[in-house]
Amino acid sequence: MQTVQTSPIEGQKPGTSGLRKKTAVFMGPHYLENYVQSTFDGIGGVQGKTLVVGGDGRFFNDRAIQVILRIAAANGAAKCIVGQGGILSTPAASHLIRKRKADGGLILSASHNPGGKDEDFGLKYNGPNGGPATEAVTDKIFARTLDIDVYKISESVDIDIDTRGMTSLDALEIEVVEPVADYQELMETLFDFGKIRALFAGGFTMRFDAMHAVTGPYAHAILEGALGAPKGTVMNGTPSPDFGGGHPDPNPIWAKDLMNVMYGPDAPDFGAASDGDGDRNMIVGRNAYVTPSDSLAVLTAKAHLAPAYSSGLTGVARSMPTSRAVDRVAESLGIKCYETPTGWKFFGNLLDAGLVTLCGEESAGTGSDHVREKDGLWAVLLWLNILAETKMSVAETLDDLWSTHGRCYYSRHDYEAVDSEKAGAMISALRAKLPALAGTSVGGLTVEAADEFAYDDPVDQSHSAGQGIRIAFKGGARAVFRLSGTGTEGATIRIYLEHLQTDASKLDMKPEDALAEVCNAAREVSDLTALTGRVDPDVIT
Ligand code: G1P
Ligand code: ZN
């Protein structure tokens, strides 16, 4: 064992979902070592503890795991449970932490960000409940990165993590486990696999785009294996360290191959995609894209059709920028809908306390109390279970939602790699305007209410301020502004646009037409172009 003198490296501040940086930064001298040691120090040490370790297989995943194991051994950890080949999807890791009653876990991923030597890498600590560390814990980790002076590391040779079974590193016990089996077993307890198998046997067709990322092995085993969907249902199903050179983000822009299939002449009944680490999902029917906000609303309305949720939901939660479609469904079901800041960690307390059963975000994350992460394949299976029961198409399911609850037209505009100072200045200027906005007219719309979202956690009473600016307009429109917490280059400005339409004759508009007015109003009120030099967004989802 070696004790290495080190000094703080600036900027190791975990964001909404762990620490994300360019891979080269993580590979720099002492960087990963400092962060892993700071994480261990920040959680009160790992002496005698059991940790789950795995990642999405991106470039540097395997090397980073070797470093983590050596630091865990030197710090006296008792055991590490590692996914074979270093692979564990984020929801599978969350499940494993819970199932094996581990003290926590380290998940290596930068989620939907591209992978490779010149792209992104990330590391996240999850606690014993299987969920992302709370802000109190990430604050401690960050504080330690600012004054770290030593890290401890074993001098062992590399451990074989490609072979299942038990091995050891000094006094650290290492168990290498098959990454899919435990997760699949959990899914079988939640859903009616028999019904879904019958759906496929009856000719129902599907395409699942694993985007060359971690869900490939999971989807092959569950969809084509256990559920009997024909071979070829899963596309891009072999994980690669650079995700086939793509951007493993399941949205209409980046899952273009799948969108082409679903809007093409021989479109199957159902399409879905998942991201780099398997926690996000995109749902699309034949000629019918489902926004993540609508997907959450549909799942809330119909979850009772799946065995795990047959006795109803205790409550639901959505992140603030997510559309209010789910609020309307929750109201009709007589259950509470919580509004939380962006980031999955805010759902953890609500799930642990049994206040909510389902939750979701506009950024393609949906999940339930079965784990403490969002879960891409889980959402796909819940959709399949629902369709197996209703025998409706995806388009009919959406029509049903909209005709019952109204339609929340929705879109997110991202302005990427904006100069950080300019982006900050735009938000500050908007913040300063807020008190005088109500009642004024912007871009032809009248402001009804404007504020900056803050959250009081009903479980631990913690207060999170500065969680995004929201402006509600008369007539059902809303614009939300916030800066991304997961970008790795400059700042990303996110503008979320929404328009609730309840007029039955206006439920079939093109989303961009339905949102044109609120889009203009958002750009005008924020002075976007004057303050940042930007006009059109880089990515619209
Ligand atoms: C983004 C999403 C957010 C999600 C997070 C992690 O964070 O907007 O909903 O929880 O990635 O997947 P942001 O970059 O907006 O801070
Ligand atoms: Zn992800």
Side-chain angles (χ1 to χ4, degrees):
M1 202 264 281
Q2 213 189 348
T3 302
V4 181
Q5 303 296 321
T6 188
S7 51
I9 296 170
E10 237 185 303
Q12 288 175 290
K13 185 173 173 54
T16 24
S17 41
L19 185 70
R20 300 249 176 100
K21 295 283 169 192
K22 287 286 163 206
T23 311
V25 173
F26 267 100
M27 292 175 77
H30 305 301
Y31 192 91
L32 176 65
E33 290 84 347
N34 265 10
Y35 189 65
V36 173
Q37 184 69 55
S38 299
T39 300
F40 290 168
D41 292 348
I43 62 171
V46 292
Q47 182 69 39
K49 288 185 177 174
T50 296
L51 299 171
V52 167
V53 183
D56 63 10
R58 68 180 59 225
F59 184 83
F60 194 50
N61 189 66
D62 46 356
R63 299 307 314 148
I65 289 180
Q66 297 294 340
V67 172
I68 290 168
L69 294 177
R70 287 207 281 273
I71 297 180
N75 279 270
K79 179 168 181 171
C80 284
I81 303 170
V82 184
Q84 188 178 9
I87 295 288
L88 279 178
S89 77
T90 292
S94 179
H95 175 53
L96 213 47
I97 294 171
R98 296 162 66 77
K99 182 175 179 189
R100 302 292 287 271
K101 302 202 168 25
D103 298 287
L106 288 173
I107 302 175
L108 301 88
S109 171
S111 188
H112 50 287
N113 292 9
K117 211 170 177 354
D118 301 320
E119 300 293 351
D120 294 348
F121 193 78
L123 183 59
K124 176 164 81 157
Y125 169 74
N126 280 29
N129 73 345
T134 58
E135 281 209 305
V137 172
T138 53
D139 284 350
K140 281 193 191 136
I141 295 171
F142 176 51
R144 183 58 180 143
T145 67
L146 298 177
D147 65 8
I148 186 163
D149 48 358
V150 292
Y151 63 82
K152 291 185 195 156
I153 188 159
S154 160
E155 285 160 295
S156 128
V157 295
D158 278 1
I159 296 296
D160 174 12
I161 56 169
D162 293 327
T163 311
R164 265 180 258 168
M166 305 296 297
T167 160
S168 62
L169 196 172
D170 303 339
L172 174 73
E173 203 184 311
I174 296 171
E175 182 183 347
V176 177
V177 298
E178 199 281 328
V180 177
D182 295 285
Y183 177 81
Q184 179 173 336
E185 191 185 278
L186 174 66
M187 293 301 116
E188 285 171 8
T189 66
L190 303 175
F191 304 117
D192 189 338
F193 270 41
K195 276 257 164 64
I196 305 175
R197 215 179 288 128
L199 181 72
F200 282 119
F204 179 88
T205 51
M206 168 178 184
R207 280 299 193 88
F208 178 86
D209 189 349
M211 304 189 85
H212 306 277
V214 81
T215 46
Y218 294 83
H220 278 302
I222 296 174
L223 299 174
E224 296 175 352
L227 295 171
K231 293 260 166 307
T233 297
V234 177
M235 53 202 268
N236 302 322
T238 305
S240 81
D242 69 346
F243 307 118
H247 200 129
D249 195 355
N251 62 44
I253 308 287
W254 297 112
K256 194 103 195 69
D257 293 353
L258 178 67
M259 289 302 280
N260 289 341
V261 171
M262 297 309 296
Y263 281 79
D266 301 313
D269 296 303
F270 187 67
S274 190
D275 73 328
D277 61 329
D279 58 356
R280 295 185 175 200
N281 74 90
M282 179 179 94
I283 301 294
V284 52
R286 182 181 293 129
N287 283 303
Y289 170 69
V290 185
T291 67
S293 297
D294 275 349
S295 179
L296 178 63
V298 166
L299 297 184
T300 299
K302 304 205 191 271
H304 63 277
L305 298 174
Y309 312 103
S310 59
S311 53
L313 310 174
T314 58
V316 289
R318 64 159 171 86
S319 65
M320 182 275 281
T322 303
S323 97
R324 294 158 295 173
V326 65
D327 302 40
R328 301 174 69 81
V329 174
E331 200 186 332
S332 75
L333 292 172
I335 58 175
K336 195 165 159 71
C337 178
Y338 293 84
E339 185 176 38
T340 59
T342 295
W344 205 260
K345 62 187 174 189
F346 292 99
F347 295 135
N349 281 345
L350 300 174
L351 291 164
D352 282 348
L355 295 173
V356 306
T357 314
L358 295 197
C359 42
E361 297 191 271
E362 52 63 45
S363 53
T366 358
S368 89
D369 56 2
H370 67 290
V371 289
R372 291 296 179 273
E373 287 281 0
K374 53 197 173 221
D375 188 344
L377 259 179
W378 166 89
V380 173
L381 293 170
L382 181 50
W383 262 94
L384 287 172
N385 200 150
I386 290 168
L387 297 180
E389 291 287 349
T390 62
K391 307 275 187 252
M392 284 159 82
S393 70
V394 173
E396 286 163 349
T397 307
L398 285 178
D399 284 342
D400 180 38
L401 174 78
W402 298 336
S403 59
T404 316
H405 301 284
R407 178 172 181 182
C408 281
Y409 288 98
Y410 191 84
S411 187
R412 184 176 100 182
H413 291 191
D414 293 338
Y415 296 83
E416 295 176 343
V418 178
D419 177 276
S420 296
E421 264 175 40
K422 288 183 179 164
M426 188 195 98
I427 295 288
S428 306
L430 195 51
R431 183 180 292 128
K433 273 189 195 172
L434 289 177
L437 270 186
T440 61
S441 160
V442 198
L445 292 175
T446 305
V447 176
E448 195 169 63
D451 68 356
E452 186 163 24
F453 182 56
Y455 180 64
D456 288 300
D457 187 302
V459 180
D460 67 14
Q461 271 72 49
S462 59
H463 180 75
S464 306
Q467 299 295 328
I469 288 171
R470 47 184 186 181
I471 301 179
F473 299 95
K474 290 212 165 94
R478 181 178 84 145
V480 169
F481 304 80
R482 59 178 284 281
L483 298 182
S484 156
T486 60
T488 53
E489 237 181 311
T492 296
I493 300 173
R494 302 206 195 284
I495 304 184
Y496 309 79
L497 306 169
E498 180 182 344
H499 194 130
L500 168 66
Q501 183 56 260
T502 49
D503 179 341
S505 68
K506 294 186 179 156
L507 297 180
D508 261 332
M509 293 172 73
K510 278 191 172 164
E512 56 271 34
D513 295 339
L515 295 167
E517 267 184 332
V518 64
C519 178
N520 282 338
R523 288 185 195 176
E524 187 179 314
V525 73
S526 61
D527 255 337
L528 175 86
T529 303
L531 296 178
T532 68
R534 298 297 182 93
V535 183
D536 291 319
D538 298 288
V539 181
I540 299 182
T541 51

